[in-house]
Amino acid sequence: MVKTNKNALLKSILIFTILISFTVLLGGGYWIFKEQAPRPLKVTNVKGDLLFSKETIMGGQAVFQKYGLMDYGTVLGQGSYMGPDYTAEALKIYTEGMQDYRAKEKFDKPFSSLNDDEKAVIRSNVIKEMRENRYDSSKDTLQLTDAQAYGLEKVRAYYKGVFTKGDGWGLKAGIIKDKDMPSQNRAYVASGDQIKQISDFFFWTAWLSSTVRQGDKITYTNNWPYYQDAGNNLSFSAIWWSGASVTILILAIGIILFVFYKYHLGMQEAYKEGEFPQINIRKLPVTSSQIKAGKYFVIVAALFFVQSMFGALLAHYYIEPDSFFGIKWINDILPFNITKGFHLQLAIFWIATAWLGMGIYVAPLVGGHEPKKQGLLVDILFWALVVLVVGSLIGEWLGAKGYLGNNWFLLGNQGWEYLELGRIWQYILAIGMGIWLIIVYRGIKSGLKRENDKGGLIHLLFYSAIAVPFFYIFAFFINPNSSFTMADYWRWWIIHLWVEGIFEVFAVVVIGFLMVQMKLVTKKSTIKALYFQLILLLGSGVIGIGHHYYYNGSAEVWIGLGAVFSALEVIPLTLLILEAYDHYKMMRAGGIDFPYKGTFWFLISVAIWNLVGAGVLGFLINLPAVSYFEHGQFLTPTHGHASMMGVYGMFAIAVLLYSLRNIVKPEAWNDKLIKFSCIMLNIGLAGMVFVALLPTGFLQIKEAYFNGYAASRSASFLQQGIVQNLLTWRAVPDTIFLIGVVALLVFAVKALFNLRKPTHNENEKLPVKDLAVDEE
């Protein structure tokens, strides 16, 4: 009775945590909506002449998205790192233009010719002028001073050169092809000169980053990017909440560790020492749908290989931006921005497909039988995924190349990093996940009926499965006319909540389920442990999304919320290292005959990278004071590679191996090849992160601190000798990693030709552990 009450309390705490977390997140979203920078109906000079309009800003943003420029550079620090941050670059040009205008007006000579005292006067005056907010909310108009209007012209002239002649680095000449677009398609790209539109959009982001929010003392971007000539310096809130978040983290760690050990909230072994449960693969039941899931895992390995090859090409472009070892036609077909989009989308595709395949495999085990026509649904979903992957990649290429015209958003590249999928392909993805949920539900339905506890293990598995397609719905909240800041708010719901949060929840529940299924841990302890982990994951992770909102034009409140809850995200990730040790003990206890050694090697890898990649490296860049200088630099992909591949990728491989182990003939299984792959992948990833990305990120943040953020994102920084050497030597760990990928691909292809035959027919009861029944 006491244990039941404890679980009831944990359930109540989890429900309360979810309600409070999402209330704060949605409330904070409304605050972002109210506090975001205006897109004025008209922007005029002091004489009242129209300079540009809201339609121009929207059109410029659409041009930025249409040509996939977010997969080359960044705006407001959001995007990719080969190109510049266009906000910081435009701010520098805009500021220098104002300084020149005022210098000529006051001293009759350019700013560069002034002495130090004269420069100080001009700098001070320009800062005051550009930080004053002249937006009239009653008329929805913005008036620029003569100096600001001159700065605007400088921005336009600069980007006309860039998009006409190329940027001299990784952006080709003439990337923006069609200058005039039909006016009836203004929802996607406004009519007019697209180069002028994108220039005005960049200027607008520079304006909002240097203009004080009305009724406040800092800019719309909380004084980001760092540029002293524009008056942008680290804010007090960034410093305070960096310190406060660490303080709260230390306190929370102490409290949570006390609770964890006092109430024994970890999973408890279900076997006694020397009595490890024996698992005979040959006697495990196998159904038709489970066998058909095998082809999903071959596709996973193939997509992983292709995605990794694109990653290698991207790494090479940092050394040779316009060709691949002198072969220029490769860059003509696959320039950096398109390659980056493919690299990101394929990562999501192969990781998600592995988890979907595992869900298909697990469903009959939970329900205890194979539903009728389950195999047919599995085949339909498989071919839907093939159409999605091939069709979306072709669409993204055509869209970013400009061949789809104003259909780029529907069929091509939406232009948002990680959300490159055109809207039509997003619909297909959502439908596919819906079919997958139906497959899972049909498989586990009888188990759900048998389980009286609506918060039991099978129900938790089902709830987490529902969350996978449900949370993707928020991708449809982003439209071409959405403001950049609000679109970015919803974008991180997909990247942080869907990819990182919901999949993490699904992973935690699945690991618990598999451990119980293999009779390695008790069901009661697992359910209790799962509730505790979910409380920590969702309690910190949902609001922890706020670290993405520090400097993208969101309200200042997100600096406090993001700092505190991002810091707390480290706690559940740290606790998982204890789970890794438990997995290691179980694997050793199983001896040489333990059939799931490959799965456990990768599960241990997941736990380690969870701590190092998602925890340590994530904590480093999530402190507001660090993020202020680092936002959009190499330390971000340092954390990204370590967590995306180290955690979600390694876990995808773990579930792939677990599922294949049960449907592949035992005599065809090769643990040596799997162990080799695991070692090579871990060594390669560690080298990639710690030999190349982390040192480059350190040099880059140092450059930002001493010379301003724009300098740290310039091509000249990437061309420095030490940076080029680091990125060149990255080829060594990249090659090691690729060898691990090839080994996994070879293993998966061989497995496909050595699948077992189904042992049970549709609706025939399977001899498996009934997880709906409580333990004695």
Side-chain angles (χ1 to χ4, degrees):
M1 183 63 71
V2 176
K3 291 182 179 180
T4 302
N5 289 336
K6 283 185 179 179
N7 282 349
L9 177 60
L10 288 172
K11 292 175 190 176
S12 299
I13 294 173
L14 176 59
I15 293 171
F16 177 77
T17 299
I18 293 172
L19 290 175
I20 291 297
S21 297
F22 280 98
T23 299
V24 172
L25 181 57
L26 290 170
Y30 178 74
W31 204 331
I32 291 176
F33 174 75
K34 295 293 289 183
E35 294 290 322
Q36 66 179 322
R39 293 183 292 177
L41 191 62
K42 293 181 180 180
V43 179
T44 66
N45 59 20
V46 291
K47 296 179 181 178
D49 299 326
L50 180 66
L51 298 175
F52 61 92
S53 64
K54 179 178 181 178
E55 185 179 86
T56 310
I57 297 170
M58 292 167 60
Q61 179 179 316
V63 175
F64 177 71
Q65 294 172 233
K66 174 182 178 179
Y67 292 101
L69 291 174
M70 198 177 192
D71 283 322
Y72 175 71
T74 57
V75 162
L76 296 173
Q78 306 289 351
S80 298
Y81 317 110
M82 177 72 165
D85 179 82
Y86 291 107
T87 299
E89 187 177 62
L91 177 61
K92 188 173 186 294
I93 297 166
Y94 162 47
T95 304
E96 290 175 348
M98 290 185 66
Q99 289 174 341
D100 261 346
Y101 185 91
R102 292 306 181 194
K104 292 175 182 177
E105 179 185 62
K106 188 174 183 64
F107 299 107
D108 198 28
K109 50 186 175 181
F111 181 78
S112 59
S113 300
L114 302 181
N115 61 42
D116 290 344
D117 290 338
E118 290 170 337
K119 284 182 178 179
V121 171
I122 295 299
R123 280 197 186 97
S124 178
N125 291 341
V126 165
I127 288 173
K128 291 177 183 177
E129 182 178 355
M130 69 192 310
R131 295 180 79 80
E132 182 179 341
N133 196 329
R134 297 177 182 84
Y135 172 69
D136 186 343
S137 58
S138 63
K139 298 179 181 178
D140 196 15
T141 59
L142 170 65
Q143 184 182 89
L144 300 183
T145 66
D146 289 338
Q148 287 177 310
Y150 181 78
L152 168 63
E153 291 304 320
K154 287 292 185 180
V155 170
R156 287 173 173 172
Y158 176 81
Y159 286 113
K160 183 175 183 180
V162 166
F163 292 113
T164 302
K165 302 176 183 178
D167 67 356
W169 182 236
L171 195 69
K172 289 183 174 294
I175 186 174
I176 299 177
K177 298 180 177 65
D178 39 346
K179 300 294 181 66
D180 294 286
M181 305 301 296
S183 59
Q184 65 265 27
N185 285 314
R186 289 178 183 175
Y188 299 124
V189 180
S191 60
D193 185 338
Q194 289 190 68
I195 293 180
K196 181 173 175 291
Q197 289 173 12
I198 196 172
S199 301
D200 291 349
F201 169 63
F202 291 158
F203 173 84
W204 173 74
T205 66
W207 172 84
L208 69 91
S209 69
S210 57
T211 300
V212 173
R213 187 183 271 117
Q214 291 181 340
D216 208 337
K217 295 181 180 180
I218 59 176
T219 70
Y220 288 102
T221 55
N222 298 319
N223 283 357
W224 188 92
Y226 175 55
Y227 185 42
Q228 290 184 324
D229 277 16
N232 276 2
N233 292 288
L234 188 64
S235 67
F236 170 76
S237 59
I239 298 172
W240 167 253
W241 285 111
S242 294
S245 63
V246 175
T247 304
I248 294 171
L249 170 63
I250 295 171
L251 175 63
I253 287 176
I255 295 172
I256 290 171
L257 286 178
F258 171 78
V259 172
F260 179 79
Y261 284 108
K262 179 176 175 58
Y263 296 103
H264 306 289
L265 294 174
M267 296 181 189
Q268 297 176 8
E269 296 170 355
Y271 59 91
K272 297 179 181 179
E273 187 173 351
E275 299 179 5
F276 193 86
Q278 298 301 307
I279 302 172
N280 189 337
I281 295 294
R282 297 179 188 277
K283 294 183 179 180
L284 292 179
V286 179
T287 68
S288 174
S289 68
Q290 290 178 316
I291 297 296
K292 289 185 175 184
K295 58 179 172 284
Y296 283 74
F297 300 118
V298 177
I299 293 297
V300 167
L303 291 179
F304 183 25
F305 172 75
V306 176
Q307 186 249 343
S308 299
M309 294 302 291
F310 280 130
L313 181 59
L314 286 172
H316 182 81
Y317 280 154
Y318 280 100
I319 308 302
E320 192 180 9
D322 60 347
S323 65
F324 182 71
F325 293 106
I327 307 173
K328 292 188 177 294
W329 63 263
I330 293 179
N331 184 259
D332 291 336
I333 296 173
L334 293 170
F336 186 95
N337 61 324
I338 291 177
T339 305
K340 178 64 179 291
F342 285 179
H343 181 64
L344 295 178
Q345 285 305 298
L346 287 172
I348 294 175
F349 281 148
W350 77 261
I351 292 172
T353 301
W355 296 22
L356 297 182
M358 181 272 303
I360 291 169
Y361 170 78
V362 163
L365 300 180
V366 179
H369 74 284
E370 170 94 335
K372 287 185 177 180
K373 306 295 183 182
Q374 187 83 330
L376 176 62
L377 285 175
V378 171
D379 287 337
I380 291 173
L381 176 59
F382 176 80
W383 290 111
L385 288 173
V386 171
V387 170
L388 169 66
V389 173
V390 176
S392 64
L393 293 181
I394 293 173
E396 287 171 30
W397 188 88
L398 292 172
K401 283 286 187 177
Y403 294 130
L404 295 179
N406 281 334
N407 290 317
W408 61 274
F409 184 81
L410 295 176
L411 298 171
N413 187 338
Q414 277 197 39
W416 293 103
E417 186 194 29
Y418 281 101
L419 291 178
E420 286 86 358
L421 287 181
R423 183 52 51 91
I424 295 297
W425 307 112
Q426 282 188 321
Y427 284 130
I428 294 175
L429 176 57
I431 291 170
M433 287 189 291
I435 295 173
W436 172 78
L437 184 60
I438 291 172
I439 291 172
V440 172
Y441 175 70
R442 293 176 83 244
I444 70 174
K445 181 170 64 175
S446 58
L448 290 169
K449 290 180 178 178
R450 294 195 306 272
E451 187 172 61
N452 295 323
D453 183 4
K454 301 305 180 185
L457 186 58
I458 297 177
H459 279 79
L460 282 177
L461 186 65
F462 183 51
Y463 300 149
S464 62
I466 292 174
V468 171
F470 175 78
F471 273 86
Y472 191 75
I473 292 174
F474 298 101
F476 297 98
F477 284 33
I478 302 174
N479 292 298
N481 59 354
S482 301
S483 74
F484 191 93
T485 299
M486 279 309 300
D488 206 50
Y489 168 76
W490 292 115
R491 185 174 75 97
W492 286 108
W493 275 61
I494 303 303
I495 303 172
H496 185 95
L497 281 187
W498 186 64
V499 176
E500 297 181 24
I502 299 306
F503 275 83
E504 181 86 45
V505 167
F506 187 59
V508 166
V509 175
V510 166
I511 289 174
F513 164 81
L514 296 180
M515 293 299 172
V516 175
Q517 183 72 40
M518 291 186 285
K519 302 178 182 178
L520 299 180
V521 295
T522 64
K523 180 184 174 183
K524 288 181 180 180
S525 70
T526 299
I527 294 175
K528 187 166 62 173
L530 286 178
Y531 275 111
F532 183 66
Q533 290 181 20
L534 294 179
I535 289 168
L536 295 181
L537 284 171
L538 296 175
S540 60
V542 173
I543 304 176
I545 194 176
H547 66 262
H548 298 293
Y549 302 150
Y550 291 159
Y551 306 118
N552 71 343
S554 299
E556 188 179 10
V557 66
W558 278 109
I559 291 182
L561 290 172
V564 171
F565 286 90
S566 294
L568 296 179
E569 285 183 285
V570 175
I571 299 174
L573 302 180
T574 303
L575 290 177
L576 287 175
I577 201 69
L578 302 176
E579 194 171 288
Y581 180 65
D582 290 337
H583 292 162
Y584 174 75
K585 288 195 302 180
M586 291 175 187
M587 186 174 64
R588 291 294 298 270
I592 59 174
D593 295 326
F594 182 54
Y596 301 111
K597 288 194 289 288
T599 297
F600 274 67
W601 289 327
F602 279 96
L603 286 179
I604 292 169
S605 301
V606 169
I608 293 172
W609 283 109
N610 234 329
L611 174 63
V612 176
V616 175
L617 295 175
F619 179 77
L620 172 64
I621 65 173
N622 290 344
L623 291 171
V626 175
S627 182
Y628 180 75
F629 297 99
E630 183 280 331
H631 179 51
Q633 293 182 355
F634 265 69
L635 286 180
T636 300
T638 301
H639 156 65
H641 281 76
S643 57
M644 189 71 175
M645 178 59 219
V647 179
Y648 306 106
M650 295 291 185
F651 181 75
I653 298 172
V655 298
L656 172 152
L657 292 173
Y658 174 80
S659 303
L660 284 178
R661 188 67 176 100
N662 299 321
I663 63 176
V664 171
K665 296 174 183 177
E667 62 270 18
W669 194 259
N670 189 341
D671 266 331
K672 290 183 179 180
L673 187 58
I674 295 171
K675 187 173 185 178
F676 174 75
S677 175
C678 183
I679 291 171
M680 298 302 279
L681 288 174
N682 277 285
I683 292 175
L685 181 59
M688 192 188 308
V689 169
F690 296 109
V691 173
L693 297 177
L694 184 62
T696 303
F698 170 76
L699 293 173
Q700 197 168 28
I701 194 173
K702 183 179 178 181
E703 179 77 11
Y705 181 82
F706 286 105
N707 298 309
Y709 183 82
S712 72
R713 290 294 309 279
S714 65
S716 60
F717 168 79
L718 294 174
Q719 292 165 351
Q720 291 179 14
I722 186 172
V723 175
Q724 286 289 294
N725 287 336
L726 286 169
L727 296 179
T728 299
W729 279 104
R730 178 182 167 177
V732 175
D734 280 6
T735 302
I736 294 172
F737 185 87
L738 286 171
I739 292 172
V741 177
V742 171
L744 182 69
L745 177 60
V746 170
F747 173 84
V749 172
K750 287 184 176 180
L752 184 64
F753 293 98
N754 289 279
L755 298 177
R756 297 169 61 195
K757 300 294 183 183
T759 60
H760 289 71
N761 298 318
E762 293 178 349
N763 282 336
E764 185 178 351
K765 187 175 180 180
L766 303 180
V768 294
K769 179 179 176 67
D770 189 353
L771 298 182
V773 179
D774 290 331
E775 297 164 330
E776 294 297 329

